[in-house]
Amino acid sequence: MAQGNSVSLSSKLGPEERAAAIARLKERELDVLVVGGGIVGSGAALDAATRGLSTGLLEARDWASGTSSRSSKLVHGGIRYLEQLDFRLVREALIERGLLLQRLAPHLVKPVRFLYPLNHRVWERAYIGAGMLLYDIFSWSGGRPPGVPHHRHLSKRQMLRAMPSLAGDAFVGGLTYYDAQVDDARYVAMLARTASSYGAHVASRVRVEGFIKVGERVVGVHAHDLETGEKFDVRAKQVVNATGVWTDETQAMVGERGQFKVRASKGIHLVVPRDRFQSTTGVILRTEKSVLFVIPWGRHWIIGTTDTDWHLDKAHPAATAADIDYVLEHVNKILAVPLTREDVEGVYAGLRPLLAGESEQTSKLSREHLVAHSVPGLVVIAGGKWTTYRVMAKDAIDAAVSALDGKIPESTTQDIALLGAEGYQAAWNKRRKIARAFGVHTVRIEHLLNRYGVLTDEILDLIKARPELAEPLPDADDYIKAEVVYAATHEGALHLEDVLARRTRISIEAWDRGVSAAPVAAALMAEVLGWDEAQTEREVNTYLKRVQAERESQLQPDDESADRVRLEAPDIVATA
C-alpha cells in the first residue's frame, strides 16, 4: 500500500526508508519538527505523530548515541528523591514505570529486585522502611497495579541467602524492593521506529546547523545530511529542541539566550561478569555523593554510578581511573571477595542533562523538566529523567500544539504500545514451540523475544532464508549474525559502531569490547548497505581505534587527560 494512502506505515527503518523520509522533509512544511533523537526527542515525535500532526525527527548522530544509551538502564521512581521530598517526581516516575512494564513495552522493560543493606538495627530500618512504604503507595496511585511486588523487610540470614557474597560485617539486616530495567538504546531505536510506523519522517545522521527565522519567528531549520553531504531546509510550524546536554549549544543557533541552562553531570558504570560474585538480586547502596546500584544484566552486573561535573567533549565523555576506583571502592565495602580492575569487562560514561541554577552540586540539581517557548516557533524541553520521558514528550508537544491553529487531539501515548509489544506474552508462552520449529535453543528465542518482542518473527525469517545467520558473533555469544543484518535493514543502523555499541551491547559486554566481532559484523552490514572493501575496512579500523582510545582513557588520572586521549579516535562521520 502506498505510504500516502495507508493508515499504518511500515515499521522498517532501513536505508530506503531514511531516503524517503528526507525526501518528504524537503517537500512540504511540517506541523512539528523535533531536533534530537534521544529518548525525549523520539518520544516527542511519537506523541506528535499519534495526534495526527505531520512530524519530522532529525538526529545528528545515531539514535540514543548520547545520554539515552549510557544510563543506569533502570526504569525507576528514584528512591533518593524521597529523601529530597520530591514526592511529585517520584509518584510520576512510578506511574510511568507501571505503564512501561505492563502496557507500552513489556518485551523491553522487566522487573528487577534490589537489596538495601542496613547498618543500624532500629532507627534506620524504620526510616528506610517508611520510605519504601511510601514508594509502594505511590506506585499504586496511578489507578493500575504497579506490576512489581511490594517491599519486604529481611533479617541478616535472609539477606545472606539472597546474596551469599555479601560481607558478613557490612550489614545487620535489610530490605528488598523492586524497580525495573531496560536496554535503553534498544528502547530508543524501537521508539523511533514506532514513531515512523505512525507516519513521522525520521532520519539519523542529519545535523541541524541553524534555524530559519522570519522576523523573530522560527519557521524551520537548515539541515545537513552527513551521509551524503547534501544540505537542505526543513520548514515547520513548530520546532521542538530536545537535544539534552546540547540544549545550550542548540539554543545559541537561534541567537537568543535560553531561559534556562543545562548542566552536564558525568556518571560512569562498570560491567563485570555475573560469576564474580554470587547473588540472586541487585543491590542499592548509599554513598557520600549519590547512590550506587549493582544491577543484574544478563550474564553480567552493571555497577554505578558517579555524579561529577563535566565541562569537556559532550559526545564522548570519558571515564577516568579515579572514577573506576571510586566505584570499585564503594562496592567492595559490601563484598566478601573484593572486585579488582581485572574483573571489569566494560566501562561506559554518560552525561545527565540537569537544569542548572538550583545548587552548585550536580547530585542536588533538579531532575525535574522544564518546557519553554523560548522564541516564537521554538519549544525547548530540558532536564528530566529517562523514566519520565513520555511525560516530557507530551508536555513539549502540548506547548507546540498551543501555538498551532485548529483543534488538535490530546496525547494518546499512554495507550500506544511500542512495536513488538502487542502479543508479546502469547509469543513468550509459545517460546518452546517456536524454538523447536526453527531448530534454535529456547534460550536463544527468549533472548530474541526480550529484545524484539513479536518482531522476533522477522529475525527468524532471516534465519530461515539464510541458516548461517543463526551463528553467534565471535566472542559475543549472546548475539547472532541475523541481529546485525536486521539492525541495518530494519533498525536504522548506518555504521558498525551503531550495531556494536547500541543495537547490541557488545562494546561493553564482551571482554575484547567487540574487537573480534567487528570484522564479521562489518562484512554482514556491507552486504546490506553496499559498502565496498575500503569502506568496510574503514568501519572496522575506526571502531578498533574507538576501543583502544576508550581503554587508554580509562587509565588516565583526571577528566582532562581522559578526554584528550578519548578524542584521539576519530568518529566514523564527522559531526563537529
Side-chain angles (χ1 to χ4, degrees):
M1 187 180 272
Q3 275 201 2
N5 300 323
S6 64
V7 173
S8 178
L9 304 185
S10 170
S11 68
K12 193 177 175 187
L13 207 60
E16 292 179 6
E17 288 74 21
R18 178 182 182 276
I22 290 174
R24 286 297 187 94
L25 290 170
K26 292 187 287 188
E27 283 175 4
R28 61 174 184 170
E29 183 185 44
L30 301 169
D31 292 321
V32 175
L33 173 67
V34 182
V35 180
I39 184 68
V40 176
S42 300
L46 177 61
D47 192 290
T50 52
R51 295 188 197 211
L53 300 171
S54 58
T55 305
L57 172 63
L58 297 178
E59 163 57 42
R61 296 172 177 80
D62 182 30
W63 308 118
S65 58
T67 301
S68 297
S69 63
R70 306 177 194 184
S71 72
S72 296
K73 318 211 182 305
L74 290 177
V75 173
H76 64 137
I79 285 283
R80 71 185 175 105
Y81 302 126
L82 287 176
E83 200 166 38
Q84 298 172 12
L85 305 182
D86 201 343
F87 299 140
R88 191 199 64 79
L89 176 63
V90 174
R91 177 180 179 273
E92 179 180 81
L94 287 171
I95 291 171
E96 290 300 305
R97 184 193 70 181
L99 196 60
L100 290 164
L101 274 167
Q102 299 174 85
R103 173 73 186 105
L104 303 187
H107 56 315
L108 299 176
V109 182
K110 305 292 180 183
V112 59
R113 183 186 178 207
F114 285 101
L115 294 179
Y116 192 112
L118 298 173
N119 300 113
H120 305 279
R121 294 186 185 281
V122 180
W123 72 264
E124 190 181 18
R125 185 178 289 279
Y127 179 68
I128 300 301
M132 297 282 186
L133 177 61
L134 197 57
Y135 207 65
D136 289 340
I137 291 170
F138 283 156
S139 71
W140 278 92
S141 63
R144 68 169 71 228
V148 297
H150 293 164
H151 81 282
R152 286 178 53 220
H153 287 263
L154 301 180
S155 66
K156 184 169 185 175
R157 180 177 297 177
Q158 288 171 319
M159 290 281 286
L160 282 171
R161 192 177 302 140
M163 187 174 180
S165 292
L166 276 174
D169 59 353
F171 64 102
V172 296
L175 294 93
T176 180
Y177 78 102
Y178 282 79
D179 260 319
Q181 66 179 167
V182 64
D183 184 333
D184 46 10
R186 166 145 299 286
Y187 191 101
V188 177
M190 201 69 86
L191 189 57
R193 283 182 67 187
T194 305
S196 175
S197 75
Y198 281 96
H201 310 301
V202 309
S204 62
R205 304 286 180 181
V206 177
R207 183 176 67 212
V208 169
E209 297 186 333
F211 291 91
I212 305 170
K213 295 178 76 174
V214 173
E216 292 301 307
R217 183 176 187 81
V218 170
V219 297
V221 303
H222 301 296
H224 183 185
D225 184 347
L226 300 176
E227 292 295 308
T228 65
E230 180 187 12
K231 296 189 177 185
F232 58 94
D233 290 345
V234 182
R235 300 274 175 169
K237 295 171 185 173
Q238 291 286 305
V239 177
V240 175
N241 176 6
T243 50
V245 293
W246 286 275
T247 298
D248 293 353
E249 289 85 344
T250 313
Q251 284 299 100
M253 295 181 192
V254 192
E256 300 281 341
R257 288 189 62 183
Q259 296 181 22
F260 44 80
K261 285 192 168 293
V262 173
R263 184 167 164 185
S265 165
K266 184 180 72 169
I268 78 119
H269 294 80
L270 311 182
V271 182
V272 302
R274 194 68 177 266
D275 62 7
R276 287 304 182 268
F277 55 89
Q278 191 178 355
S279 178
T280 60
T281 177
V283 184
I284 178 174
L285 306 170
R286 295 166 64 103
T287 72
E288 66 276 11
K289 295 179 181 177
S290 59
V291 295
L292 192 76
F293 287 100
V294 180
I295 307 162
W297 182 256
R299 294 197 286 182
H300 317 269
W301 297 100
I302 290 177
I303 306 172
T305 181
T306 56
D307 203 333
T308 55
D309 252 341
W310 180 263
H311 301 289
L312 303 168
D313 180 73
K314 292 178 178 176
H316 305 295
T320 66
D323 292 330
I324 295 170
D325 290 342
Y326 172 87
V327 173
L328 289 174
E329 176 191 348
H330 280 80
V331 75
N332 283 339
K333 289 179 180 178
I334 64 157
L335 293 178
V337 178
L339 297 172
T340 68
R341 284 291 292 260
E342 285 67 39
D343 294 316
V344 177
E345 292 174 291
V347 181
Y348 64 93
L351 300 178
R352 303 175 190 86
L354 303 179
L355 293 173
E358 285 88 346
S359 167
E360 287 303 306
Q361 292 182 315
T362 58
S363 60
K364 299 279 180 63
L365 287 173
S366 175
R367 298 313 302 274
E368 300 278 356
H369 66 273
L370 288 176
V371 179
H373 248 121
S374 56
V375 296
L378 179 64
V379 174
V380 184
I381 174 78
K385 59 199 292 272
W386 204 102
T387 302
T388 57
Y389 85 87
R390 194 195 64 81
V391 177
M392 295 174 66
K394 172 188 174 297
D395 289 350
I397 301 305
D398 280 346
V401 162
S402 69
L404 295 176
D405 296 329
K407 185 171 177 58
I408 295 166
E410 296 289 321
S411 174
T412 61
T413 51
Q414 72 276 7
D415 296 313
I416 303 293
L418 266 62
L419 290 173
E422 297 289 0
Y424 161 74
Q425 193 58 56
W428 180 259
N429 294 342
K430 296 194 305 181
R431 63 194 184 279
R432 291 181 181 83
K433 289 183 179 179
I434 297 170
R436 284 196 298 270
F438 283 86
V440 179
H441 197 284
T442 303
V443 172
R444 183 70 72 191
I445 296 298
E446 291 175 348
H447 163 88
L448 294 174
L449 286 171
N450 285 331
R451 285 170 52 74
Y452 306 95
V454 299
L455 298 183
T456 294
D457 284 349
E458 296 177 348
I459 301 280
L460 295 175
D461 286 343
L462 290 175
I463 294 172
K464 191 173 181 180
R466 296 175 58 188
E468 73 275 11
L469 294 181
E471 297 170 3
L473 291 166
D475 290 335
D477 292 349
D478 286 343
Y479 303 96
I480 58 176
K481 293 178 178 178
E483 295 181 79
V484 176
V485 174
Y486 188 77
T489 57
H490 287 69
E491 297 186 324
L494 298 174
H495 296 282
L496 179 61
E497 178 190 323
D498 301 346
V499 171
L500 297 183
R502 286 175 289 277
R503 303 305 182 279
T504 70
R505 308 321 292 267
I506 291 172
S507 67
I508 60 171
E509 293 176 357
W511 275 109
D512 68 355
R513 306 196 185 184
V515 169
S516 300
V520 176
L524 291 166
M525 294 184 73
E527 298 174 18
V528 176
L529 300 177
W531 296 342
D532 59 18
E533 188 174 332
Q535 175 66 17
T536 306
E537 185 176 343
R538 180 170 167 263
E539 292 280 343
V540 174
N541 289 339
T542 301
Y543 182 78
L544 297 186
K545 288 176 183 175
R546 167 200 159 121
V547 170
Q548 182 180 0
E550 284 185 345
R551 285 187 181 278
E552 291 180 3
S553 70
Q554 291 153 16
L555 300 174
Q556 304 305 309
D558 53 57
D559 285 347
E560 288 74 16
S561 304
D563 181 65
R564 184 179 62 253
V565 171
R566 175 62 185 87
L567 293 182
E568 289 176 1
D571 285 331
I572 189 67
V573 177
T575 55

